[in-house]
Amino acid sequence: MSVDTYLKGKNISRYNVVRQGDLKILVAPSLVQWAKSVQLGTKRFLFWESFDIEAEHRHRPTCAH
């Protein structure tokens, strides 16, 4: 996972945009193809907020496992 909050001058046209409340989440096209589902959770402790992301793998005929 990568988090980047400074998007000025960056080309984000390939990414899928998902809105969750006041958050805008950019999802890479490869993750959309690879994942069966993606879940995003947030936790807050005092002034700190953390993200938890879980992706469920989509099995394909070419999977090596």
Side-chain angles (χ1 to χ4, degrees), residues 32-57:
V32 172
Q33 293 174 350
W34 173 85
K36 182 177 180 180
S37 67
V38 178
Q39 296 181 13
L40 171 70
T42 60
K43 296 178 185 176
R44 180 171 284 178
F45 179 73
L46 298 175
F47 301 107
W48 179 261
E49 188 170 8
S50 63
F51 296 94
D52 179 33
I53 298 176
E54 184 176 320
E56 183 180 350
H57 178 71

Side-chain angles (χ1 to χ4, degrees), residues 3 8 14-15 18-20 23-25 27 30 36-37 41 43 49 54 58-61 64:
V3 175
K8 185 176 180 180
R14 293 184 6 223
Y15 290 83
V18 178
R19 296 187 189 280
Q20 178 85 24
L23 293 175
K24 181 167 64 169
I25 303 155
V27 181
S30 58
K36 182 177 180 180
S37 67
K43 296 178 185 176
E49 188 170 8
E54 184 176 320
R58 177 181 298 158
H59 292 282
R60 305 256 182 174

